[in-house]
């Protein structure tokens, strides 16, 4: 083990309680400053944001933080110093026997540098905390026990009962909070018992108080409650599958960098979509037995939990997992999707006050939060999107959207759901079937490695974009019989107003972890995230097979690295972008057949990109690539027959 010299000043990397200026001053007797010029070397020392690679931060005692080895991990902290040699004695006394002093290299904005860090001593920690401190599954079990105890306290206070079924109902109604507790525990290395209890006890139980006297809400309540009941049944079935078949799911999962609920959600959706008549009978029975608003939301949730217990079939669940395992393969690019639903289509955005268009089932989901659907739909990333903001507790009209793989909409955290186009296609269609709302649009996301990062202002050639719109842009005939591309000409993704733009594709950075410290710190450090290309032009339709379309998007992205198309600023700054925009809009209003040469050029770029991907990962078989190209060729031939 490397040691810093005892008689020389040294730099110190801190990542836990010593990031708190008050704690640091109490231990070392010096004040932290963020500017080098403010440090005098005596009473004040310089603290810089820094990152230590090859470690992760955990907190098995929910008090102190320990860095333990993790080949793919990193820890954010501060590089402090230089400190005088005599400060080491105070540090060793403060850190205690569970830490080992080590010289490491940390990264700052100025570059890489050596520093002393106090790293968790694994053998000493096993003696202090037991082996489970670095076993994620055992940590999960212990965390569940703490959450269960906090839910029991909340149940006694809020419902004056001690009933396991009521406790499960509370867990459903606090589902997004429990999700965040798990995320914070594993991101930050631990979460205290007090924080758990406060998170679950201090949040009021959702109820119908705001809408009890609302005549419209009373009229629409059966539709909202139907969605509540179905969603709770789905959640409970998914949870049973996730817990009972953990080994089987882990065995076929693509890895920890992907959303861990993907395959259990797909299994539950497939199981329930095969039992639609039973589901409808359960919903009808619940609505007949309980009356709104006399019975509280927790009673509907409790009823649905009992129904899920009666409906669950472990053998059928095992068979669904087997079916998924035998069909799925590995792809080359991490994938995700967002699904939008609306009974009045894009009109819910064009008429946000509901003055001209009327959704007789949900009124544009105006009462979504009153029925706690923002909480209950967390496993599939459910929320209301009015194309201005994705998270708000204020009543508003918009699309019901599923952001698959979302870890926290509020924190902007997500993971890809799969790297298998078949799995994503299945998930898209089974979500569409499960939610009894008219499907509207689909966004497909591709997570791109930095060496093939998108070129922000590079659009796809117009001929390739026409092929994509022909495949998934909703080519249909209007009332006069004329063919048009609805996604282009229906004001859904293209607006030709004061600032013309088109939501065809958008490059962004996504984050999958977030560390939220409860200690006071001197500033913060932001992670770099990962490049994501999101294609937004697709119609969500029961008639489309998205598997070959996803393969086409992967191939084009890998071969051409296109960026965002089209922002208002791109339109203003680039004649090329303006020309392409107007050509697409003109073609979309009167689409003509795509020439055979353009089809083959399109397929050629797709093939080239998929072969690059296949060479990089070796997961895509050449037969699968050939099948995808054949499917795409047939789909474009069908479009040309329509256009002719």
């Amino acid at each position: 083990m490397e040691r810093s010299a005892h008689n020389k000043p040294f730099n110190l990397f801190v990542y836990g309680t010593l990031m708190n200026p008050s704690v640091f001053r109490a231990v070392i007797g010096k004040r932290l400053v963020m500017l080098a010029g403010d440090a005098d070397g005596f009473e004040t020392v310089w603290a810089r944001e820094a990152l230590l690679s090859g470690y992760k931060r955990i907190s098995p005692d929910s008090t102190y933080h320990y860095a333990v080895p993790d080949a793919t991990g990193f820890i954010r902290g501060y590089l402090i110093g230089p400190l005088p040699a005599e400060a080491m004695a105070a540090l060793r006394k403060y850190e205690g026997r569970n830490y080992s002093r080590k010289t490491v290299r940390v990264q700052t904005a100025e570059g890489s540098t050596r520093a002393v860090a106090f790293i968790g001593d694994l053998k000493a920690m096993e003696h202090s905390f037991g082996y489970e401190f670095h076993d994620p599954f055992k940590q999960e079990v212990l965390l569940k026990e703490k959450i269960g105890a906090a839910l029991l306290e909340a149940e006694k206070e809020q419902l004056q009962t001690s009933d396991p079924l009521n406790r499960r109902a509370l867990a459903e109604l606090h589902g997004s909070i429990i999700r965040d507790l798990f995320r914070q525990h594993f991101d930050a290395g631990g979460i205290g018992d007090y924080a758990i209890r406060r998170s679950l006890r201090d949040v009021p139980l959702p109820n119908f108080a705001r809408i009890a006297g609302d005549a419209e809400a009373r009229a629409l309540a059966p539709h909202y409650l139907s969605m509540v009941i179905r969603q709770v049944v789905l959640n409970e079935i998914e949870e049973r599958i996730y817990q009972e078949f953990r080994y089987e799911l882990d065995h076929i999962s693509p890895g920890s960098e992907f959303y861990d609920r993907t395959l259990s959600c797909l299994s539950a959706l497939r199981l329930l979509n095969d039992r639609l008549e039973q589901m409808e009978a359960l919903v009808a029975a619940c609505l007949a037995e309980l009356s709104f608003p006399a019975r509280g939301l927790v009673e509907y949730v409790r009823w649905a939990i009992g129904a899920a217990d009666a409906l669950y079939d472990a053998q059928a669940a095992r068979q669904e997992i087997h079916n998924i395992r035998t069909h799925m393969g590995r792809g080359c690019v991490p994938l995700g999707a967002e699904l939008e639903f609306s009974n009045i289509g894009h009109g819910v955005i064009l008429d946000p006050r509901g003055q001209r268009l009327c959704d007789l089932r949900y009124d544009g989901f105006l009462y979504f939060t009153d029925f706690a659907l923002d909480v209950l739909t967390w496993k599939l990333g459910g929320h209301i999107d009015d194309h201005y903001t994705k998270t708000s507790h204020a009543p508003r009209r918009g699309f019901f959207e599923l952001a698959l793989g979302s870890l926290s909409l509020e924190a902007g955290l997500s993971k890809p759901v799969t790297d298998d186009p078949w799995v994503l296609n299945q998930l898209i269609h089974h979500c569409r079937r499960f939610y009894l709302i008219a499907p509207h649009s689909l966004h497909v996301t591709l997570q791109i490695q930095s060496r093939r990062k998108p070129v922000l202002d590079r659009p796809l050639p117009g001929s390739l974009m026409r092929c994509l719109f022909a495949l998934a842009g909703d080519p249909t005939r209007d009332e006069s019989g004329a063919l048009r591309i609805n996604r282009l000409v229906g004001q859904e993704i293209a607006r030709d107003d004061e600032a013309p733009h088109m939501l065809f594709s958008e490059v962004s950075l996504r984050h999958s972890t977030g560390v939220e410290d409860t200690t006071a710190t001197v500033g913060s450090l932001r992670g770099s995230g990962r490049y994501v290309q999101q294609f937004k032009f697709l119609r969500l339709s029961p008639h489309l097979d998205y598997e070959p379309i996803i393969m086409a998007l992967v191939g084009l992205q890998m071969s051409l690295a296109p960026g965002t198309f089209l922002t208002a600023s791109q339109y203003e700054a680039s004649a090329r972008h303006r020309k392409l925009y107007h050509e697409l809009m003109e073609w979309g209003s009167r689409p003509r057949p795509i020439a055979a040469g353009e089809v083959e050029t399109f397929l050629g770029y797709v093939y080239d990109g998929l072969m690059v991907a296949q060479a990089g990962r070796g997961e895509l078989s050449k037969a699968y690539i050939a099948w995808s190209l054949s499917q795409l060729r047939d789909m474009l031939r069908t479009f040309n027959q329509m256009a002719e």
Side-chain angles (χ1 to χ4, degrees):
M1 181 180 297
E2 295 179 271
R3 300 281 185 177
S4 62
H6 290 287
N7 58 348
K8 292 183 179 179
F10 63 96
N11 285 323
L12 176 70
F13 176 74
V14 300
Y15 54 90
T17 54
L18 285 175
M19 293 176 72
N20 186 316
S22 300
V23 175
F24 187 87
R25 190 166 189 176
V27 174
I28 304 297
K30 299 183 185 296
R31 185 164 56 87
L32 298 180
V33 294
M34 296 301 290
L35 298 175
D38 294 339
D40 60 16
F42 297 99
E43 293 186 356
T44 58
V45 288
W46 184 23
R48 293 166 278 172
E49 293 174 336
L51 189 146
L52 172 64
S53 298
Y55 291 87
K56 66 179 179 180
R57 188 175 65 167
I58 67 171
S59 180
D61 56 2
S62 301
T63 303
Y64 297 106
H65 297 272
Y66 300 84
V68 296
D70 182 350
T72 61
F74 63 86
I75 298 174
R76 298 182 178 98
Y78 297 138
L79 179 67
I80 298 174
L83 293 171
E86 55 268 24
M88 184 59 69
L91 285 168
R92 291 179 65 86
K93 182 178 180 181
Y94 175 75
E95 298 292 5
R97 65 184 181 85
N98 286 332
Y99 294 91
S100 295
R101 187 178 65 181
K102 186 173 183 179
T103 300
V104 297
R105 294 203 72 87
V106 297
Q107 183 70 41
T108 69
E110 292 78 25
S112 175
T113 188
R114 290 160 63 91
V116 171
F118 283 84
I119 305 300
D121 185 318
L122 296 180
K123 290 189 177 299
M125 291 172 71
E126 284 186 22
H127 183 269
S128 297
F129 306 118
Y131 178 75
E132 62 270 14
F133 83 88
H134 59 67
D135 184 326
F137 181 73
K138 290 184 178 179
Q139 285 190 57
E140 184 178 317
V141 171
L142 293 173
L143 183 57
K144 284 181 180 176
E145 291 177 356
K146 294 179 180 180
I147 289 173
L151 284 171
L152 175 58
E153 293 181 17
E155 179 195 354
K156 290 178 178 178
E157 289 182 8
Q158 297 174 353
L159 301 177
Q160 290 78 51
T161 66
S162 180
D163 179 351
L165 206 56
N166 278 344
R167 210 163 309 135
R168 288 170 63 187
L170 282 182
E172 284 285 353
L173 291 170
H174 294 319
S176 58
I177 295 175
I178 294 172
R179 170 206 64 191
D180 291 341
L181 290 173
F182 272 90
R183 176 178 59 79
Q184 291 165 10
H185 173 83
F186 286 101
D187 281 1
I191 187 168
D193 294 359
Y194 174 76
I196 293 172
R197 291 196 303 272
R198 183 173 181 180
S199 296
L200 294 171
R201 291 174 56 188
D202 291 358
V203 177
L205 191 64
N207 58 59
F208 299 136
R210 192 188 77 87
I211 58 173
D214 187 324
E216 183 190 45
R218 294 174 72 99
L220 299 180
H223 304 296
Y224 278 98
L225 289 169
S226 172
M227 191 172 177
V228 167
I229 297 161
R230 292 168 58 84
Q231 185 66 55
V232 172
V233 171
L234 173 63
N235 290 350
E236 292 292 314
I237 297 290
E238 186 275 338
E239 192 66 31
R240 292 282 292 272
I241 293 172
Y242 183 76
Q243 298 299 337
E244 293 180 17
F245 298 97
R246 190 68 168 270
Y247 174 80
E248 291 87 342
L249 293 169
D250 285 348
H251 186 67
I252 60 177
S253 169
S256 60
E257 68 269 27
F258 292 85
Y259 184 52
D260 63 345
R261 299 273 178 170
T262 297
L263 297 179
S264 53
C265 281
L266 178 56
S267 301
L269 285 164
R270 285 168 59 99
L271 190 151
L272 292 177
N273 281 338
D274 285 341
R275 293 161 173 77
L276 291 178
E277 290 186 4
Q278 288 176 265
M279 284 286 290
E280 290 308 303
L282 287 172
V283 169
C286 180
L287 296 182
E289 182 176 329
L290 305 179
S291 60
F292 173 86
R295 308 297 285 269
L297 180 58
V298 68
E299 295 180 75
Y300 286 93
V301 173
R302 175 193 165 101
W303 199 102
I305 291 171
D309 289 346
L311 188 62
Y312 180 67
D313 182 340
Q315 186 57 39
R318 186 183 299 276
Q319 185 61 46
E320 289 298 346
I321 295 172
H322 172 75
N323 291 339
I324 292 170
R325 183 177 64 247
T326 56
H327 283 87
M328 68 185 294
R330 291 299 305 273
C332 56
V333 173
L335 302 165
E338 294 179 357
L339 289 67
E340 289 186 335
F341 300 83
S342 171
N343 289 329
I344 53 176
H346 199 66
V348 74
I349 301 300
L350 300 178
D351 183 22
R353 295 186 178 181
Q355 295 175 329
R356 300 188 309 275
L357 299 169
C358 188
D359 171 8
L360 297 177
R361 293 176 63 86
Y362 299 104
D363 191 11
F365 300 98
L366 185 62
Y367 304 104
F368 191 73
T369 58
D370 294 295
F371 289 85
L373 285 163
D374 55 328
V375 174
L376 295 173
T377 57
W378 72 266
K379 292 183 180 181
L380 294 171
H383 61 282
I384 299 304
D385 186 1
D386 61 3
H387 287 193
Y388 291 97
T389 178
K390 288 182 179 290
T391 58
S392 172
H393 295 293
R396 62 204 173 111
R397 293 178 177 87
F399 290 105
F400 170 53
E401 182 172 305
L402 300 178
L404 304 181
S406 173
L407 303 178
S408 172
L409 288 165
E410 294 81 1
L413 303 176
S414 64
K415 285 187 176 182
V417 294
T418 183
D419 60 1
D420 180 2
W422 179 85
V423 168
L424 186 58
N425 183 51
Q426 286 281 306
L427 196 56
I428 290 167
H429 279 299
H430 279 284
C431 285
R432 177 194 54 76
R433 286 184 62 196
F434 182 78
Y435 291 99
L436 306 179
I437 310 162
H440 182 259
S441 65
L442 170 68
H443 300 170
V444 173
T445 59
L446 283 59
Q447 183 174 289
I448 313 300
Q449 294 179 343
S450 58
R451 70 175 182 272
R452 294 192 174 275
K453 66 182 180 182
V455 180
L456 187 61
D457 290 321
R458 177 188 292 169
L460 286 170
S463 61
L464 305 189
M465 294 180 73
R466 287 195 293 272
C467 288
L468 290 174
F469 277 112
L471 290 168
D474 194 17
T476 53
R477 300 195 182 279
D478 61 19
E479 295 178 356
S480 68
L483 185 67
R484 67 178 197 164
I485 307 295
N486 277 338
R487 291 291 281 161
L488 275 173
V489 301
Q491 298 188 59
E492 296 180 3
I493 67 166
R495 299 293 297 272
D496 193 5
D497 45 27
E498 294 180 2
H501 62 276
M502 179 183 291
L503 300 176
F504 175 82
S505 59
E506 182 179 20
V507 175
S508 62
L509 285 174
R510 296 284 178 90
H511 302 264
S512 61
T513 61
V515 180
E516 294 151 15
D517 291 309
T518 58
T519 58
T521 60
V522 189
S524 62
L525 194 68
R526 183 175 177 83
S528 60
R530 298 185 179 185
Y531 290 101
V532 165
Q533 172 67 282
Q534 186 174 63
F535 290 99
K536 299 186 173 186
F537 68 92
L538 300 91
R539 173 68 77 212
L540 179 57
S541 167
H543 308 298
L544 281 176
D545 180 0
Y546 294 103
E547 189 174 354
I549 296 172
I550 293 166
M551 290 286 280
L553 296 176
V554 170
L556 293 176
Q557 191 67 44
M558 296 295 285
S559 60
L560 295 172
T564 296
F565 187 84
L566 168 83
T567 64
S569 60
Q570 285 176 326
Y571 180 90
E572 292 295 332
S574 168
R576 178 188 181 192
H577 284 72
R578 288 195 297 272
K579 182 174 183 291
L580 181 53
Y581 171 83
H582 291 294
E583 286 177 351
L584 285 170
M585 294 300 293
E586 188 277 330
W587 177 80
S589 63
R590 292 180 297 173
R592 296 170 293 281
I594 299 172
E598 292 183 341
V599 170
E600 293 308 313
T601 298
F602 170 79
L603 296 175
Y605 279 118
V606 172
Y607 174 81
D608 290 344
L610 292 175
M611 290 303 292
V612 168
Q614 195 268 351
R617 286 280 297 271
E619 301 284 358
L620 291 175
S621 73
K622 293 181 179 179
Y624 184 42
I625 293 173
W627 172 85
S628 301
L629 296 175
S630 175
Q631 295 295 109
L632 293 167
R633 184 177 283 108
D634 288 346
M635 295 166 77
L636 290 170
R637 184 182 299 118
T638 299
F639 169 80
N640 278 344
Q641 291 170 354
M642 291 177 62
E644 289 170 352

